[in-house]
Amino acid sequence: MSETVPRPTLEAVAERAGVSRATVSRVVNGAHGVRDALAERVRRAVEELGYVPNQAARSLVTRRHDAVAVVAAEPETRVFADPYFAQQLRGISKELTAHDNQLVLLLIEGREDHARVGRYLAGGHVDGALVFSLHLHDPLPGLVRRAGVPTVFGGRPDWEDDGDGVVYVDSDNRGGARAAVRHLAALGRTRIAHITGPLDQTSAADRLAGFRDVRAGADPGLVAHGDFTPGGGERAMRELLDRCPDLDAVFAANDLTAAGALRVLRERGRRVPDDVAVVGFDDMLPVAEQTDPPLTTVRQDIEEMGRLMARLLLRGPDPRTAADGPDAAAPEPGTSGVVLPTTLVHRASA
């Protein structure tokens, strides 16, 4: 049996550096007031000894846990199957890792999980929360507010902030939808259908609004409800073809929905884009480039959204503190949100 090697202590670091224990503690905890030369000696001693701070003791001193809760209001079967969440989590993880913070993932399987998540957030385990994929009347915003932890939301909120300064990151869903539908109209398509996402989410509602901005007088039968999944796209596409067999274009609320719609069009013998042009939303490369034909879609920078959410949380509540790079978006006037632009990506489907 191997012997357990004792962990280096704060006192051992102080002895190696030739400074007091209090000086080592200030350097390790990021406090100010230590001369550069002394701080460098401490850091060198920490590296030589392989000293790792005791996080529990450090939290008592700094009142920080260097951990952030990422709360997705979706079941694990959706989060781990949908590449959208993988891209958003990748952006969040990169930013937190760069600042030596841990990501704690909390998922909502059902209504009973809200109380569990609320208790965890209120228990002082994390320094803040990133919350996304909210649905209409979701209790999560209230639970987060009562927990008293700094929070950034993914997506435009659908509730009044009551002066609490709700901070969020979103994409220009409505503008992207307008661009998609205008592109289809410019191709000469006159019977343009829309498969929505779940309309209890603001992203889906905004994309439907963008569709209606361009097609204000469209036949209501050309709108079918989906749920951001391939299966939902299949069901909605069958419904549309049964109801409006003369449709000549489809704007799908996301790429997964579009992939499902393409399968049904192929089953029904409709050629894409000759008979029916199709445009999606997201530009998730594992999906958009592998559909048959490759998908014309509206690109939003999903990974950047996650990164900005984390930056806003770590840097403070002012959106301008996150929008400091050459490709960063400015906050919307009069809001506490950062809205990233969207662009149309042309491929073979439209």
Side-chain angles (χ1 to χ4, degrees):
M1 184 175 68
S2 61
E3 295 183 3
T4 301
V5 178
R7 292 176 54 182
T9 64
L10 209 63
E11 290 77 11
V13 175
E15 182 178 354
R16 173 68 67 94
V19 298
S20 68
R21 184 185 187 281
T23 297
V24 174
S25 179
R26 287 199 296 273
V27 173
V28 168
N29 291 313
H32 300 291
V34 179
R35 296 197 308 275
D36 290 344
L38 289 181
E40 180 56 33
R41 279 161 52 186
V42 170
R43 284 191 286 268
R44 190 162 54 246
V46 165
E47 184 176 348
E48 291 171 355
L49 293 175
Y51 172 75
V52 178
N54 182 298
Q55 185 59 38
R58 184 178 181 185
S59 296
L60 290 174
V61 175
T62 64
R63 297 182 181 274
R64 289 189 56 82
H65 303 273
D66 295 329
V68 170
V70 177
V71 186
E74 300 287 352
E76 65 178 34
T77 51
R78 174 83 191 280
V79 171
F80 294 121
D82 190 330
Y84 177 93
F85 296 109
Q87 291 185 36
Q88 194 163 43
L89 287 170
R90 183 161 58 242
I92 291 170
S93 179
K94 284 182 178 179
E95 190 68 20
L96 293 182
T97 298
H99 292 84
D100 201 20
N101 274 252
Q102 303 302 312
L103 184 158
V104 180
L105 182 61
L106 304 174
L107 304 179
I108 305 294
E109 291 286 338
R111 305 293 290 187
E112 65 279 0
D113 290 320
H114 288 100
R116 171 183 59 82
V117 170
R119 287 194 302 271
Y120 184 85
L121 295 178
H125 304 289
V126 294
D127 301 316
L130 303 172
V131 181
F132 57 87
S133 202
L134 289 172
H135 297 261
L136 188 66
H137 305 310
D138 200 307
L140 269 176
L143 291 171
V144 170
R145 187 180 297 112
R146 288 192 292 274
V149 295
T151 305
V152 176
F153 293 93
R156 179 178 64 81
D158 63 351
W159 67 92
E160 297 294 330
D161 65 16
D162 298 324
D164 289 341
V166 174
V167 180
Y168 69 93
V169 176
D170 202 0
S171 289
D172 184 8
N173 292 295
R174 190 164 184 165
R178 287 196 294 262
V181 181
R182 284 171 180 156
H183 171 68
L184 292 168
L187 295 175
R189 308 299 168 129
T190 59
R191 296 283 285 168
I192 303 173
H194 177 44
I195 301 176
T196 76
L199 294 178
D200 63 346
Q201 293 187 291
T202 56
S203 58
D206 288 348
R207 291 170 200 179
L208 174 59
F211 171 82
R212 287 175 170 163
D213 287 343
V214 182
R215 309 293 290 179
D219 178 356
L222 286 168
V223 175
H225 297 288
D227 58 6
F228 282 159
T229 69
E234 291 179 1
R235 289 189 297 272
M237 192 70 252
R238 291 190 181 97
E239 177 186 331
L240 284 169
L241 289 172
D242 291 342
R243 192 164 60 216
C244 306
D246 59 341
L247 64 85
D248 58 8
V250 177
F251 165 49
N254 76 341
D255 292 348
L256 292 176
T257 297
L262 286 169
R263 282 198 289 269
V264 172
L265 288 168
R266 189 163 51 249
E267 289 172 2
R268 296 284 185 95
R270 304 296 179 94
R271 297 169 301 162
V272 177
D274 303 70
D275 301 325
V276 180
V278 178
V279 176
F281 202 111
D282 286 339
D283 195 29
M284 294 187 293
L285 296 185
V287 179
E289 290 187 341
Q290 295 177 18
T291 57
D292 182 19
L295 186 65
T296 294
T297 186
V298 177
R299 184 175 193 272
Q300 60 171 334
D301 197 335
I302 302 167
E303 185 172 322
E304 177 69 359
M305 287 176 63
R307 189 182 70 84
L308 281 175
M309 288 176 66
R311 291 186 76 183
L312 279 168
L313 187 70
L314 296 173
R315 295 191 176 194
D318 185 350
R320 290 169 296 184
T321 63
D324 60 1
D327 59 345
E332 280 197 324
T335 75
S336 296
V338 175
V339 179
L340 294 175
T342 54
T343 55
L344 189 68
V345 177
H346 297 265
R347 296 193 182 91
S349 70

